[in-house]
Amino acid sequence: MSDDHSNEWYYNTKTGKVEPYQGAKSGDRLGPYSTPEEAARALEKAQERNEAWDNDPKWNDD
């Protein structure tokens, strides 16, 4: 595993801001993402995945 984190971007769930690897503690962040633009969509992406899982008949335990 490389120690180069220069291309890692995170979405900070407390501040609502995108930040590089050298940011807040990991418990407050989503990522890593390859670009700041991808990190900015972190909450949208999580919602899309949640909806997909909620509607996946293989995982429906109702």
Side-chain angles (χ1 to χ4, degrees), residues 12-54:
N12 186 313
T13 58
K14 286 197 174 199
T15 66
K17 295 182 180 179
V18 172
E19 57 192 31
Y21 174 78
Q22 298 81 9
K25 63 182 180 178
S26 62
D28 297 333
R29 303 193 303 176
L30 300 174
Y33 294 93
S34 300
T35 66
E37 294 79 16
E38 287 179 21
R41 286 195 66 242
L43 293 180
E44 290 176 58
K45 188 68 173 175
Q47 181 63 33
E48 290 169 3
R49 288 178 178 159
N50 287 342
E51 289 174 8
W53 291 330
D54 286 345

